[in-house]
Amino acid sequence: MSERTLLVTGGAGFIGSNFILQIAEQHPDWRIVNLDSLTYAGNLENLTQVEGSPNYTFVHGDICKEEDVERAFESCAGGGDVAVVHFAAESHVDRSILSGMPFVETNVKGTQVLLDSSRAKGVERFVHVSTDEVYGSLGATGLFHEGTPLAPNSPYSASKTASDLLVRAAHKTHGFPGLITRCSNNYGPYQFPEKLIPLLIANASEDKAIPVYGDGMQVRDWLYVRDHCEAILRVLTDGKDGEVYNIGGNNEYPNIEIVKMVLSILGKPESLITYVKDRPGHDRRYAIDASKIRDQLGWEPRHSFEQALPLTVRWYQSQDVWLQRVRSGEYRDYYQRQYGS
Ligand code: NAD
Ligand code: DAU
């Protein structure tokens, strides 16, 4: 496939920027249009490697606004078939506990605006990037599979569940070519340091306390971000319209073990660990059955945790300027300086 344009939403965020960099490497002939409103989580400094490339266009806009989505589609014109890869979202559970409305606005309304415009434009495909959190919480055993009942527990996961159902409804009602992916926790370069792994690298590097919620025995299934991006690409090229694909690393760890592993890689003392009040409604365990995407689309993670966790820690250490600019808020000036409006 060569004449193809990807309209990527939320491409200045953690996973979206990794996805764009990966596509630019693997499919340099594909055009990429990145529609992002640059919330606190959007950082164009993640994308300096593609900036200036003739096949990359940034559109500063909000998925909740039809006119912004229209502008993004105009930028796609003349680039062959258009497929949408939808990452844009409010993504942090703790923020959703403080205030749910931005989550409903972007994740629910924004997704519907994007679906309506995408249908009107006759897009080739629409991959909706969702999360395992829509399934709720597991006990000590068992795995989430695609048929597990949806039972979200936070305003974040409830809004993602609603967006999944809107994509499903567009397919059932209008035959819209929507596909849904549901992935477990990602780690890797360019993650905003409000999430566990970059937060703990950043804090420990400065000998600051590491906040561990509750007893630290909540379990997450960690996947290296590049493996997630490969899986999304596989769903985009080979997935079946209307289907849901779970994506996971088969790599479960309690939070406290992750914290201790990172401290050990950094050579920092466990005395930095500080147990704090638990997150309200905290999901106890996530674990993914990813056999459908493996058996039907031939995807499997390529990075082991033993390999990619130290790689990730080293990446943050080597990118101390990036990290400092994020932590100080300076990264937010980049758009103004580069694009001047
Ligand atoms: P992120 O918070 O790092 O990035 C979100 C991006 O969306 C930012 O660039 C932000 O500016 C943009 N955005 C937010 N609201 C917007 C709006 N109204 N219009 C346009 N752009 C907007 O998120 P992430 O961690 O990269 O997650 C990306 C997607 O993957 C999300 O949909 C999330 O639910 C899903 N997901 C994340 C993980 C994970 O571990 N991070 C795991 C599974 C699924
Ligand atoms: O499972 C996929 C989800 O993973 C994505 O849909 C979300 O967008 C993404 O943010 C992530 O959600 P989590 O809530 O699991 O990620 P977070 O990094 O916030 O927290 C991971 C675990 O670590 C969780 O059990 C809460 C705990 N934690 C987190 C922070 C920030 C702590 O103990 N201390 C902390 O300071």
Side-chain angles (χ1 to χ4, degrees), residues 12-15 17-18 21 41 43 45-49 188-193 198 315-316 319 322:
F14 163 48
I15 307 174
S17 59
N18 277 283
L21 295 175
N43 185 350
E45 293 185 4
N46 301 357
L47 291 165
T48 50
Q49 286 169 63
Y190 301 119
Q191 188 165 29
F192 197 82
W315 185 87
Y316 285 92
Q319 299 293 321
W322 179 91

Side-chain angles (χ1 to χ4, degrees), residues 132-138 142-152 161 164-165 182 244 246 287-289:
D132 60 355
E133 298 201 12
V134 300
Y135 298 122
S137 185
L138 288 166
L143 299 173
F144 294 135
H145 53 87
E146 287 81 356
T148 299
L150 303 177
T161 306
D164 285 21
L165 295 179
R182 294 186 181 139
V244 174
N246 279 356
I288 282 275
D289 175 350

Side-chain angles (χ1 to χ4, degrees), residues 91-94 131-133 156 183-185 194-196 199 211-213 218 220 222 255 279 282 286:
S91 70
H92 193 41
V93 173
D94 292 332
T131 170
D132 60 355
E133 298 201 12
Y156 161 68
C183 189
S184 58
N185 287 62
E194 63 185 351
K195 308 280 166 61
L196 181 66
L199 177 83
V212 172
Y213 299 165
Q218 305 83 6
R220 297 292 181 265
W222 294 94
N255 294 336
R279 173 186 277 174
H282 200 168
Y286 304 145

Side-chain angles (χ1 to χ4, degrees), residues 225-246:
V225 64
R226 286 189 78 96
D227 284 325
H228 185 193
C229 293
E230 285 285 351
I232 292 167
L233 179 58
R234 196 67 63 88
V235 169
L236 173 72
T237 54
D238 300 338
K240 198 162 157 259
D241 290 352
E243 293 288 315
V244 174
Y245 297 93
N246 279 356

Side-chain angles (χ1 to χ4, degrees), residues 2 127 157 183 266 288:
S2 57
V127 178
S157 53
C183 189
L266 287 167
I288 282 275

Side-chain angles (χ1 to χ4, degrees), residues 149-179:
L150 303 177
N153 293 317
S154 72
Y156 161 68
S157 53
S159 66
K160 289 296 289 187
T161 306
S163 66
D164 285 21
L165 295 179
L166 292 172
V167 176
R168 174 191 154 96
H171 174 72
K172 295 277 180 195
T173 306
H174 302 292
F176 181 74
L179 302 91

Side-chain angles (χ1 to χ4, degrees), residues 317-332:
Q317 286 180 307
S318 69
Q319 299 293 321
D320 54 328
V321 174
W322 179 91
L323 192 57
Q324 285 314 323
R325 287 179 60 77
V326 172
R327 293 202 112 189
S328 68
E330 285 169 278
Y331 72 106
R332 303 207 71 172

